[in-house]
Amino acid sequence: MAASIHLAEAGLRVSCIEAEPVDSDPVGESLDWSAPALLKALGLPMEYLLAQGIATYKRHVVLKLMNGSEQHYIPGEWLGKPPYNVDLQTLHVDRAQLNHALRAIFLAKGIRLVSDRVVHVETAGRSVKRVMTAQGERIVAKWYIDASGSNASLLPRIFDLPVYEYGPRKVAMWDYFTVPESIEGTTLHADPCPRYMEWVWQIPIHPNTISVGYVSPGEAVKEKRQRGLSVQEIFETQLQRFPALRGLVHDTAQDTPKQQARTTSFRCRVFARTAGPNWLVAGEAAAMVDPMTSNGVTAALRHAAEASELIIRYRNRKRIPRLPAAMYSQRMLSLARFFNSAIENVLYDSPVRNRIGPFKAGDVYTIPAWSMNLVYSRMRPRGLVATTLFRLLLATLRYSLCAFHWWCSRPQFSSQIATAT
Ligand SMILES: Cc1cc2nc3c(=O)[nH]c(=O)nc-3n(C[C@H](O)[C@H](O)[C@H](O)COP(=O)(O)OP(=O)(O)OC[C@H]3O[C@@H](n4cnc5c(N)ncnc54)[C@H](O)[C@@H]3O)c2cc1C
């Protein structure tokens, strides 16, 4: 929808093919600090979203451990001053309502919404010639953007593009709860165990409604299912482990009939190439970034803006020139690789957490991750020089964190942990 709006505003005739026009359990509720400006560009400024009750303020992130200790991660005040002038607040959103507001803007632009599923893509060499839908419509266009999400990733699969994968396959289960009051921040409840980390998000999407979700490696959920536990039982057992969440399970026990937690599974991955002669890939179809980074919506909106920018700039040519197409791919790739690699090495995997403690590990992740997102938004790298410099910066940080992970994994540290536990 975001890409369609940008293209229609530039005067292009746009069709958007959407397999499920009615949202089924959309996620992506805690937004990064770079998201408000991207939403504003689509006609949804922060003040409007707050006034309409579509969003709540997100001022910070809280990491809360099982023993009740917690650490608050707040963007430094210096970021709010010149020359950065960053708005130090971002948003939590009710995704169903946000999609509804976006759809109203989308329809007002005269974009043709095709409620159908793409089932076949006809190609000629590295170009897309036409797409066919389940109901038999053939759609021919000069340019194509694939925003089909991480389960479909239509064009990367058709063109068999190389992919980088991060961490194990994970399962998320979540539900919504009514609470007397909520805090203006996203809370991550974590069990700082010496193994791979599992965590629970708590996001206030309205002042009295929180979204609570549990993320776990797929294998761990499979093992519990094989022991006969239902998804709801796994979800409730996990919430009961955290003192701050226990009351929620108690509340749901009074609800009759009991609603099952929503569930999805995903694998973090990034495609190495996301642009061709007449096509671009955007959002999770290009890169599935781990939910703990709160970066998926920002990335999708950013891809939509940059992909449309390329089409608008080269609309009178036969193809997107190779260099700008390669730079688009490189920017999407290096940002998503950085986020996925950093969160896996520093927080999910245990060596760094065990060595420096979960709160310091939170700093080691959030300081570079938040800064890189803001630098990207300010610098808006586009050409060869700016994109290369930015890629080098991201690669340096990524390799440094990998090296730190390796250093913390050395046998002497592992044995210290083993002795301590
Ligand atoms: C558990 C979980 C929690 C998350 N939490 C956060 C968070 O807190 N903050 C954040 O920023 N991000 C979060 N994310 C990521 C965020 O949800 C996504 O990155 C964001 O919604 C963008 O998704 P998208 O539009 O690329 O893909 P999707 O939302 O998956 O949309 C893809 C669309 O393509 C359609 N489609 C698929 N195949 C076809 C086809 N063949 N033909 C036609 N249409 C098709 C689908 O119907 C769907 O509407 C989370 C993700 C998960 C899995």
Side-chain angles (χ1 to χ4, degrees), residues 83-159:
Y84 308 102
N85 300 321
V86 170
D87 193 338
L88 298 180
Q89 296 168 110
T90 181
L91 299 170
H92 305 110
V93 284
D94 177 323
R95 271 302 300 271
Q97 288 190 17
L98 178 68
N99 289 3
H100 189 76
L102 202 54
R103 189 161 294 126
I105 296 173
F106 167 98
L107 293 172
K109 301 269 174 216
I111 298 158
R112 179 176 167 238
L113 177 62
V114 182
S115 301
D116 206 345
R117 178 174 290 278
V118 172
V119 287
H120 183 66
V121 179
E122 206 177 302
T123 57
R126 302 305 286 173
S127 299
V128 174
K129 260 179 86 181
R130 63 173 73 101
V131 297
M132 259 81 85
T133 69
Q135 288 172 31
E137 190 172 349
R138 283 159 190 266
I139 298 179
V140 182
K142 188 169 176 190
W143 311 104
Y144 298 84
I145 295 181
D146 171 12
S148 58
S150 74
N151 286 336
S153 285
L154 274 177
L155 294 184
R157 280 177 208 263
I158 297 275
F159 289 112

Side-chain angles (χ1 to χ4, degrees), residues 18-20 27-30 95 117-118 147-149 152 172 283-284 291 296-297:
E18 168 57 76
E20 285 177 41
V27 271
E29 294 158 333
S30 173
R95 271 302 300 271
R117 178 174 290 278
V118 172
S148 58
E284 283 188 353
V297 172

Side-chain angles (χ1 to χ4, degrees), residues 258-299:
K258 199 183 273 184
Q259 200 188 352
Q260 285 292 308
R262 295 135 173 98
T263 179
T264 188
S265 78
F266 60 92
R267 176 90 196 260
C268 295
R269 62 159 189 224
V270 190
F271 285 96
R273 218 156 58 75
T274 45
N278 69 340
W279 53 268
L280 297 123
V281 191
E284 283 188 353
M288 171 74 216
V289 183
D290 193 90
M292 207 198 292
T293 67
S294 290
N295 198 56
V297 172
T298 299

Side-chain angles (χ1 to χ4, degrees), residues 31-52:
L31 305 189
D32 174 82
W33 275 261
S34 306
L38 293 158
L39 286 168
K40 190 175 176 186
L42 294 164
L44 294 170
M46 202 184 214
E47 305 72 38
Y48 173 82
L49 294 171
L50 290 165
Q52 294 297 311

